[in-house]
Amino acid sequence: MKRHFFSIRTANLLYFAYFLVGVDVFGMQQSSPNDIFSTVVPDTTRQISPLSYQNPSLLVDLGVGLWAWPLPMDWNEDGLMDLVVVCTDRPSNGIHVFLQSGETDPTTLLPIFEPSFRIGAAGRSPQISYHDEGYRVTTSGAYYPDFKNSGFDHPQMLGNPESIHPEEGRIRANQWKFVDFNGNGVLDLIVGTGFWGEYGWDDAWDSEGNWKNGPLRGYTYLLENHGTDAQPDYAAPRRIHTTSGEPIDVYGMPSPNFADFDLDGDLDLLCGEFLDGFTYFENVGNRNNPLYAPGKKLTIAGVPLRMELCMITPTVVDFIGNGILDLVVGDEDGRVALLEGTGAVLNGVPQFLPPRYFKQRADKVKFGALAAPVSVDWDGDGLEDLIVGNTAGYVGFIKNMGGDPPLWATPVYLADQHGVIREQAGSNGSIQGPAEAKWGYTNPSVGDWDGDGLPDIVTNGIWGKVLFYKNIGTRTAPKLASGVPVEVDYNGPTPTPDWTWWKPEGKELVTQWRTTPHLIDWNGDSLMDLVMLDQEGYLAFFERKRKSDGSLGLAPPQRVFWGEGVSAYDGSGRPQNEDSGLLRMNQRQAGGSGRRTFTFFDWDHDGVLDILVNSATNVNVLKGLGKDSSGRWRFKDSGPVHHKLLAAHSTTPTIAQWAGNRYLIIGAEDGYFYYLPVPETLK
């Protein structure tokens, strides 16, 4: 074993220290966490820039990064309701303020918003509570009297968030709000908790695809104020129950909203959930003695009212200003929608219109969350566009309108013969359980897979199934056939990851989820090969071959990629050993598997292809060292391309050419794209 200056454990601790406090823990100016494995220093002379539409007259969906927490308020006190949206993830963490422009979008009939400005860092589970004197902004266990001036910098503590839920286990939501619960003129505290203790996390399917663990829980607690608003005295938290004796419990993250929806003078309760729906609990008591009937799902025309995505964060407010309560709802991908209240109550349930997403003047290019881009001339006009996947399972086309950097068109969803492409887990397609039913984690690659001269799309996503979308259009007017499985000419049973509960059909390629299926003519025989992670996380070469009947086949994977110095990683690209060996891009299991996205490019201009791959910083360069005598291609991790921290769950790299200049584009978890000029010489 090759001995390094310090151990992997020490290295990971230094990683943590570097990102936590931003200090130079290595004693070297401008150093990075990966310098312990390489002498290469991340570039600081070139700037990573966010990709802009370059077209402020364009209207696009209003959004922040991963996970939107809307706090509607009249920020600039001009009489118009603005949107303050908190993003709790990186790299777009913060409080983002969108002001109304005073104009209306003719498509949605909703106000148009200006691009946002950021006023500070985010807080945990941000909420807004409306009362007679205005509003109060809270996070878990804290209230912010000076929110407009100082954001979440000066909290007034309300209590200990960890003391609310008595059961041991993960609490993923801790939503604190003020409400006069019993009509005595004093503000009490309400806390919504998302409890994951029964659910666990992953790898709990039986052989029939049934989830063996419990569900998510979403409880609502009351902390009654026995004091005054000026000098509160909050009682111990107690769960609110329905008249059936059962606790109010929705599928995780309840986002409780108390308001008089049926106009009978008392406060009803409306909750969201971790997935996409809403539950209404009618107050069948009175204003001073609330009693809640068992929950009913919000419906429209008899069908459950659902959001497009999950991890929803509803806020009840009269946004339209017509005296009727509306829902302003944040989505997992950072967008915000209005569900306009109608004022009607049908079968004891208030009625809302379907979601309409707010629009803003175009600023930074965005496509959902965990944007996975490929730069390619998709429509044959000589300009490289972006084909992009995301968490929601969509595949998007963002047209390059020319320039350097380009002017970009509004993203559009690609469709096949059956409609818009959306690869989703459904009820049992995610190794991390049924809570991920609406995720897809689509990772596309583009290339002429079938040798007909037209660019096709191949994807891998949440199922670990690799699908081929054949281009049945023309070079300038592409059109996609429905996706079919990519098949491998296995010599025996089809291999799958150990944790895959379902059986593949025929010889379909099944591998680790959320990874790039990279199309490349690796061996130079003019046939498009496939390089991607195999079922055990090793980077593998699937060779495309011409069969005796003239048809194309795909050979079983060959592990021909070698890591020098480090050969095993986790899903964030953190080294897991100090040994040379077969390149195992992710050695973790089940939900921790996969998650590696990459492209090949000669980054250092030495004539040998390197691997640009997602990392804990942004993108690392695995420097190509050429082919050895045993036929293996060797690579050595030389660290991140830049010091800027973009990574959260994952990034995705692609190389673009604009007006003759080359750039590294990085799709980040926030759904935005960041670009960096390719170095002209090795630095």
Side-chain angles (χ1 to χ4, degrees):
M1 176 186 293
K2 182 177 179 181
R3 297 294 178 184
H4 289 258
F5 180 61
F6 27 16
S7 70
I8 292 296
R9 175 177 174 80
T10 305
N12 287 336
L13 288 173
L14 289 174
Y15 258 115
F16 178 74
Y18 180 91
F19 293 131
L20 182 65
V21 299
V23 298
D24 179 5
V25 297
F26 303 102
M28 299 180 289
Q29 188 171 0
Q30 300 293 357
S31 63
S32 82
N34 295 77
D35 288 334
I36 59 177
F37 305 108
S38 169
T39 58
V40 175
V41 176
D43 184 28
T44 58
T45 61
R46 292 168 296 122
Q47 182 179 357
I48 284 185
S49 305
L51 194 63
S52 171
Y53 280 104
Q54 311 289 338
N55 188 357
S57 64
L58 193 69
L59 292 183
V60 297
D61 286 345
L62 178 149
V64 295
L66 178 70
W67 211 349
W69 299 75
L71 311 175
M73 64 180 72
D74 182 2
W75 179 266
N76 55 2
E77 300 180 5
D78 63 352
L80 300 175
M81 186 74 81
D82 305 305
L83 284 174
V84 178
V85 186
V86 181
C87 173
T88 53
D89 204 56
R90 64 172 182 250
S92 290
N93 177 288
I95 306 166
H96 303 269
V97 181
F98 296 85
L99 299 179
Q100 275 205 44
S101 68
E103 299 180 36
T104 300
D105 174 22
T107 302
T108 64
L109 302 180
L110 296 178
I112 296 170
F113 291 84
E114 301 290 352
S116 68
F117 56 89
R118 183 180 183 274
I119 66 166
R124 182 186 179 192
S125 297
Q127 301 286 291
I128 188 167
S129 310
Y130 303 98
H131 54 89
D132 293 341
E133 298 177 3
Y135 62 84
R136 293 189 178 192
V137 174
T138 50
T139 59
S140 300
Y143 159 53
Y144 301 86
D146 192 40
F147 176 75
K148 279 190 65 173
N149 295 313
S150 59
F152 295 130
D153 288 344
H154 301 296
Q156 177 179 309
M157 303 311 296
L158 299 172
N160 177 15
E162 310 311 318
S163 68
I164 301 299
H165 187 79
E167 301 171 63
E168 292 187 6
R170 185 183 184 193
I171 301 291
R172 195 167 178 177
N174 210 304
Q175 303 164 297
W176 291 52
K177 303 187 79 165
F178 288 97
V179 66
D180 180 4
F181 181 77
N182 53 13
N184 64 356
V186 178
L187 291 176
D188 308 295
L189 285 175
I190 295 292
V191 181
T193 61
F195 178 59
W196 289 62
E198 297 173 44
Y199 183 90
W201 185 243
D202 70 352
D203 200 14
W205 300 105
D206 67 18
S207 60
E208 300 299 320
N210 300 303
W211 184 247
K212 296 183 293 184
N213 289 352
L216 296 186
R217 301 290 187 183
Y219 298 118
T220 298
Y221 287 87
L222 169 67
L223 283 70
E224 191 171 358
N225 185 356
H226 293 160
T228 65
D229 288 343
Q231 294 184 313
D233 178 17
Y234 299 116
R238 64 177 177 87
R239 287 183 192 170
I240 301 176
H241 288 66
T242 69
T243 53
S244 68
E246 297 295 321
I248 286 174
D249 179 16
V250 296
Y251 197 73
M253 204 166 70
S255 302
N257 288 272
F258 287 87
D260 186 6
F261 291 95
D262 53 9
L263 302 180
D264 64 354
D266 55 34
L267 298 185
D268 310 297
L269 171 61
L270 190 149
C271 290
E273 62 182 23
F274 186 80
L275 278 173
D276 57 0
F278 308 88
T279 306
Y280 173 68
F281 300 87
E282 181 186 359
N283 185 349
V284 294
N286 56 50
R287 184 68 182 93
N288 302 112
N289 183 30
L291 297 172
Y292 292 94
K296 296 180 179 180
K297 291 291 185 181
L298 293 192
T299 59
I300 183 167
V303 177
L305 180 57
R306 300 186 185 279
M307 294 296 293
E308 182 182 351
L309 304 179
C310 56
M311 292 167 59
I312 62 172
T313 53
T315 296
V316 172
V317 63
D318 178 11
F319 188 89
I320 298 296
N322 60 0
I324 299 174
L325 293 172
D326 309 303
L327 295 177
V328 176
V329 186
D331 256 344
E332 177 257 2
D333 68 351
R335 294 182 298 160
V336 181
L338 177 73
L339 282 66
E340 185 177 351
T342 67
V345 177
L346 184 62
N347 297 323
V349 179
Q351 300 296 296
F352 296 86
L353 298 181
R356 287 177 286 164
Y357 286 89
F358 291 108
K359 299 289 185 181
Q360 68 168 86
R361 301 195 194 282
D363 183 16
K364 295 180 291 184
V365 183
K366 177 176 170 64
F367 188 69
L370 267 74
V374 179
S375 182
V376 63
D377 180 7
W378 180 244
D379 55 6
D381 64 356
L383 301 174
E384 289 193 11
D385 313 298
L386 291 176
I387 298 296
V388 193
N390 63 17
T391 57
Y394 292 115
V395 179
F397 167 50
I398 309 178
K399 182 174 175 56
N400 180 344
M401 308 290 285
D404 181 9
L407 179 128
W408 298 94
T410 306
V412 295
Y413 293 144
L414 290 183
D416 62 17
Q417 292 168 302
H418 291 98
V420 171
I421 295 170
R422 190 174 186 189
E423 302 173 359
Q424 288 186 283
S427 61
N428 54 16
S430 172
I431 188 60
Q432 293 184 163
E436 298 203 345
K438 302 207 80 164
W439 270 301
Y441 295 117
T442 304
N443 284 268
S445 188
V446 180
D448 182 8
W449 182 242
D450 57 0
D452 65 357
L454 297 178
D456 309 301
I457 294 178
V458 172
T459 65
N460 180 37
I462 198 162
W463 284 85
K465 297 182 178 183
V466 182
L467 299 178
F468 163 48
Y469 294 88
K470 176 179 172 60
N471 186 348
I472 55 175
T474 67
R475 186 64 189 92
T476 56
K479 182 180 178 181
L480 296 174
S482 299
V484 296
V486 169
E487 294 187 338
V488 178
D489 295 324
Y490 294 113
N491 298 318
T494 299
T496 62
D498 289 340
W499 48 90
T500 301
W501 65 264
W502 47 275
K503 301 298 182 184
E505 296 182 6
K507 296 184 177 182
E508 67 174 321
L509 173 54
V510 178
T511 186
Q512 296 193 0
W513 69 334
R514 302 168 63 171
T515 62
T516 302
H518 192 76
L519 302 183
I520 183 173
D521 179 8
W522 185 254
N523 55 7
D525 64 356
S526 299
L527 297 178
M528 191 65 71
D529 305 305
L530 174 65
V531 176
M532 69 181 307
L533 274 64
D534 67 15
Q535 76 280 0
E536 293 182 337
Y538 290 93
L539 191 63
F541 169 46
F542 295 77
E543 184 179 5
R544 196 76 153 149
K545 290 186 175 182
R546 185 75 64 180
K547 297 182 180 180
S548 58
D549 62 0
S551 64
L552 290 172
L554 191 63
Q558 304 172 55
R559 295 175 179 173
V560 292
F561 299 98
W562 186 267
E564 290 286 349
V566 173
S567 58
Y569 296 85
D570 67 6
S572 296
R574 287 181 287 258
Q576 302 296 295
N577 69 4
E578 300 173 351
D579 305 317
S580 298
L582 291 173
L583 187 53
R584 195 174 192 184
M585 300 290 266
N586 192 349
Q587 71 172 24
R588 294 188 63 192
Q589 305 292 301
S593 67
R595 302 170 183 263
R596 302 311 306 274
T597 55
F598 63 93
T599 191
F600 289 97
F601 182 70
D602 184 6
W603 184 255
D604 54 9
H605 309 290
D606 66 352
V608 180
L609 286 179
D610 310 302
I611 304 176
L612 304 177
V613 60
N614 69 297
S615 70
T617 311
N618 42 66
V619 169
N620 273 31
V621 179
L622 304 190
K623 176 179 170 54
L625 304 177
K627 193 174 182 180
D628 64 19
S629 59
S630 63
R632 297 176 302 208
W633 285 272
R634 298 178 300 126
F635 297 88
K636 182 177 178 59
D637 196 337
S638 59
V641 297
H642 200 273
H643 61 85
K644 185 177 180 64
L645 179 61
L646 295 179
H649 282 79
S650 182
T651 59
T652 299
T654 188
I655 295 293
Q657 181 168 296
W658 304 329
N661 299 312
R662 288 197 178 275
Y663 299 88
L664 169 64
I665 300 179
I666 303 172
E669 178 158 300
D670 58 8
Y672 295 106
F673 306 90
Y674 301 84
Y675 69 99
L676 175 73
V678 170
E680 296 180 4
T681 59
L682 178 62
K683 298 185 183 297

